[in-house]
Amino acid sequence: MGTLLLLLALGALLCSAAVGEARGARSCAETRQALSSRGFALGSVPPTLISGEHLRICPQDYTCCASETEERLSEQGQADLQALLGETGAFLTSTLGSRQRRFQDFFEELLAGAERSLQAMFARSYGRLYTQHAHLFQGLFVELQHHLKGVRPDLDEALSDFWSQLLERMLPLLNPQYSFPEGYLECVGHQVESLHAFGDSPRRLRVQ
């Protein structure tokens, strides 16, 4: 910001030189000194006031600004503005990245807490029956973690697989008097939503 202000001050100085002509001051010594401190070659700055009718940015009456000076000032202004925007953009990127990481950590903690709560509740309610099939639920949470990290953008297939596998395991357990061929169980598993085996739970889980 300080650089931009200095460039504005230099522009004002170029204008003041033109005003000074009315008082008989035709020298550009002050302007040459200021621009020289900014790295301008003195050969690019006229020693006395010149007509600025050919200029695009500097004053178009009498001025200490030549075409080369004007071009150099324009380039420096653009470079300084880009640097300033780059610093601001880097700060915003850093801030947003930090907040995203905090959100990510927060949701990962929520997910881990949900998995622990489910395991504890199902272990108490179903005991050995749950522990024998706990890997199904653990696999679901792995898929949810992958989704949270962006590894699996679409969860529909993973959720469908979960309900299908769950139905394939539950059908023999709920009907021990029957023997179900593996192909039959697989076929039934693919029809889990049309059979409404778990009510509205698959749809609600997908939405959530």
Side-chain angles (χ1 to χ4, degrees):
M1 184 63 72
T3 304
L4 293 176
L5 292 176
L6 183 55
L7 288 175
L8 291 175
L10 290 174
L13 185 59
L14 294 169
C15 294
S16 67
V19 176
E21 184 203 14
R23 300 193 299 269
R26 301 183 62 86
S27 173
C28 291
E30 188 176 354
T31 302
R32 286 165 62 86
Q33 181 180 359
L35 291 177
S36 176
S37 67
R38 290 283 298 159
F40 283 69
L42 290 179
S44 66
V45 186
T48 58
L49 294 174
I50 63 171
S51 173
E53 60 183 6
H54 61 291
L55 301 174
R56 295 176 295 106
I57 301 175
C58 292
Q60 293 186 332
D61 44 13
Y62 284 93
T63 177
C64 293
C65 181
S67 296
E68 186 179 346
T69 313
E70 182 181 58
E71 183 177 352
R72 178 77 181 276
L73 283 171
S74 177
E75 290 174 353
Q76 283 198 354
Q78 291 179 13
D80 290 341
L81 180 59
Q82 289 176 355
L84 179 63
L85 292 176
E87 293 174 2
T88 304
F91 172 75
L92 289 175
T93 300
S94 175
T95 302
L96 291 174
S98 176
R99 291 182 178 179
Q100 186 210 11
R101 286 190 295 273
R102 287 202 294 269
F103 274 115
Q104 187 81 11
D105 293 342
F106 173 71
F107 283 114
E108 286 182 0
E109 290 176 6
L110 283 180
L111 192 58
E115 183 176 11
R116 289 193 298 269
S117 298
L118 182 141
Q119 288 178 347
M121 179 182 67
F122 278 18
R124 287 195 304 269
S125 302
Y126 302 104
R128 187 166 176 269
L129 180 62
Y130 167 72
T131 58
Q132 288 177 335
H133 301 89
H135 64 279
L136 288 177
F137 298 90
Q138 292 166 356
L140 175 62
F141 279 97
V142 168
E143 294 296 340
L144 292 175
Q145 290 170 358
H146 287 167
H147 178 67
L148 187 60
K149 294 176 180 178
V151 178
R152 179 188 278 275
D154 187 3
L155 271 179
D156 284 350
E157 183 179 353
L159 293 176
S160 295
D161 288 345
F162 166 74
W163 292 111
S164 296
Q165 293 174 25
L166 187 60
L167 181 58
E168 291 177 28
R169 299 297 189 283
M170 287 185 61
L171 196 59
L173 293 174
L174 296 175
N175 300 275
Q177 69 275 24
Y178 298 108
S179 176
F180 298 98
E182 185 175 344
Y184 176 82
L185 291 175
E186 184 176 349
C187 180
V188 171
H190 289 157
Q191 306 299 321
V192 61
E193 292 196 21
S194 60
L195 293 173
H196 298 288
F198 299 102
D200 198 36
S201 296
R203 187 194 65 81
R204 287 190 289 109
L205 181 60
R206 181 181 292 108
V207 172
Q208 293 173 4

